[in-house]
Structure formats: structure tokens, C-alpha cells
Amino acid sequence: RLIAKLELCRQGVLSDLMERGIGDAGQLRGTGKRDQFKDSALGRIPHSWRVKRLTDLGCIRSGATPSRSMSSRYFTGDGLPWVKTLDLNEGLISDTDERVSEAAIRECSCPVLRPGTVLLAMYGGWGQIGRTGLLAVTGTINQALSSIELTDDTILPGFLLIALQQGRGRWKAIGASTRKDPNITRHDVLAFEVPVPPVPEQKLIIKVEAQNKGRLTAVMERLSKLRQLKRGLMDDLLTGRVRVRTPA
């Protein structure tokens, strides 16, 4: 229940941050001060913010899947991390369960992506579309993802990650498919718009989000440890390694 409450609180704070921003006093801007806001394609945003399309922010590319029939040539345990939709964790990605070889990079159109590249899922239905990740190491991606390598110095990778997460619901007005599962296209990604505050304000928003996410992660880790302890105790009790004394 605590985890659910913390997640609800985090989402509420994130929504406020992305709609109101942080003013000069280090607090959320007051909604009653209408002169601090302006109308935009994304709704009401602070006057100092801009709205930009992803295509104007950087280089956007898709990945590829090397042939599984040549797995011994294209997949290797010590190769380049190869990110798939299920590897996206809404945060930093430093490793993946599959890696590809230099031959796959040369022969299969797998792009080499630098740390700081933002990743976005395009396929997999509503449960997957819009999932995000941020490369912490050099890596590559499969064809279900788009990569955004920023070239515009007015936006930080960490802030773009937050903006995409906050705007994830907007994909539902765009996604379509003749298949069972809807998807978004490269054109949809290029045209997607995000709010862009001044860089100092982006840093503050990133910091607040990291603090809230850190509190949530700490509670989740505590729950995981308690569950492991419970499993260990149950095993000891049910195998007789630990005996329960009953009152005489």
C-alpha cells in the first residue's frame, strides 16, 4: 500500500512539474498567477518554456534485428548491448540480456548509439508503446525502438526522458495498425512535441523526480528483501532446519 501511495504521489508531483514548472523561489509556480503562463499546443505552460518537435531536437533512428539463423555470428556474450522493448526500464540502461557482435553492427544496420541517447518503444500494443530508457553505455537497438540522439543543447537527455514519460498517454491519439496490436511510426515520433523549459529549470525538475523515484525505489527494495527473508524462513521451517517451540 505504501508503494502504491508513493507512486501516486510521484505521478502527481511529476504532473505538476511538467505543467507548472519551478519558479525563481524554487517552488512550483502558483496556478493563480495567470501572467506566468501562456497557451501552447500542449496546453498551458510557463512563459519561459517552448514547445519543440523531437525531429528538431536531434537525430532519430530505428534499429534492426540480426538474423537468428546466424546467431553464432551475430550474437555474443561480450558484444554491444542490444536493447529491445522489454529492456526499457524508464531509467538508465547499462546492460541487456542480449548483446550483438561487431559483425552484426557492420552487416545488419544496427546503429551504434552513444551514452545519453533516449530510447522509445514504437511497437507492442498500448502496454508497450511509449516506454522509455536512457542509454548509460554505448549500445544499439532493435527495429521496435526509436533512438533520439540530442543535438539541441537547450534540452537535457534526462529531462527529455521525463517529458516523454509524462506525455505517454498522447500516443493513444496517434497509434494505429491493421494488426492486432497498435503501433506508432517513425513519422509519429518525428512530429511528437515536448515542452522545453530553460536548462536550469530542467535540472531542478530532474533533481525532484530523482528524489521521488529514489524514495519509491528504496521502499521497493525493502519489500524485496523482506520477501526473500520470508522465503528463507519458510524453507527453514518446512524442512525442519528451524524448529518451532510450543508452550508446555
Side-chain angles (χ1 to χ4, degrees):
R1 288 196 298 269
L2 177 58
I3 288 173
K5 289 180 179 179
L6 285 173
E7 178 60 30
L8 188 62
C9 178
R10 172 177 166 259
Q11 290 299 330
V13 171
L14 182 57
S15 178
D16 282 341
L17 287 171
M18 297 303 293
E19 292 175 6
R20 297 160 56 187
I22 300 176
D24 294 336
Q27 302 293 327
L28 287 169
R29 290 184 178 87
T31 54
K33 298 180 179 179
R34 302 186 62 85
D35 59 326
Q36 296 190 45
F37 298 89
K38 64 183 178 182
D39 292 329
S40 76
L42 299 179
R44 212 168 57 131
I45 60 173
H47 266 298
S48 58
W49 293 25
R50 300 175 64 187
V51 173
K52 292 189 177 183
R53 298 179 303 167
L54 293 183
T55 188
D56 297 324
L57 294 176
C59 177
I60 298 177
R61 293 190 282 179
S62 297
T65 297
S67 174
R68 294 288 185 178
S69 64
M70 300 179 66
S71 59
S72 61
R73 177 172 178 78
Y74 291 148
F75 293 91
T76 175
D78 59 354
L80 204 65
W82 181 59
V83 185
K84 306 184 295 295
T85 301
L86 293 180
D87 293 312
L88 299 179
N89 58 7
E90 311 292 358
L92 291 174
I93 298 173
S94 56
D95 200 4
T96 56
D97 61 349
E98 290 188 284
R99 290 171 170 256
V100 295
S101 65
E102 292 184 3
I105 300 299
R106 291 194 308 269
E107 302 168 12
C108 302
S109 301
C110 293
V112 177
L113 304 172
R114 299 172 298 177
T117 300
V118 178
L119 307 179
L120 175 72
M122 299 192 299
Y123 306 146
W126 299 131
Q128 305 299 331
I129 290 175
R131 285 183 64 175
T132 59
L134 180 61
L135 277 178
V137 296
T138 300
T140 188
I141 56 176
N142 73 357
Q143 75 281 0
L145 308 184
S146 277
S147 65
I148 309 163
E149 291 185 282
L150 295 175
T151 57
D152 187 328
D153 59 7
T154 66
I155 189 166
L156 303 173
F159 180 80
L160 178 58
L161 188 74
I162 294 172
L164 289 173
Q165 292 168 1
Q166 182 63 17
R168 185 174 178 182
R170 287 192 279 132
W171 293 117
K172 290 192 175 183
I174 302 171
S177 178
T178 57
R179 304 181 308 167
K180 179 180 179 181
D181 294 326
N183 61 272
I184 54 178
T185 66
R186 171 180 167 80
H187 175 75
D188 296 329
V189 175
L190 291 172
F192 197 75
E193 295 179 316
V194 293
V196 183
V199 169
E201 192 170 351
Q202 291 180 42
K203 291 179 179 179
L204 290 174
I205 291 173
I206 292 170
K207 181 179 179 180
V208 173
E209 165 63 1
Q211 290 172 342
N212 288 336
K213 198 169 185 178
R215 283 191 285 267
L216 178 61
T217 300
V219 175
M220 293 175 69
E221 290 177 348
R222 182 184 172 203
L223 176 61
S224 177
K225 290 178 181 178
L226 288 171
R227 284 175 171 164
Q228 291 177 8
L229 178 60
K230 179 184 177 182
R231 284 195 295 269
L233 288 173
M234 291 296 291
D235 186 60
D236 285 345
L237 289 168
L238 294 176
T239 57
R241 284 195 294 269
V242 173
R243 305 298 297 273
V244 179
R245 295 183 179 181
T246 57

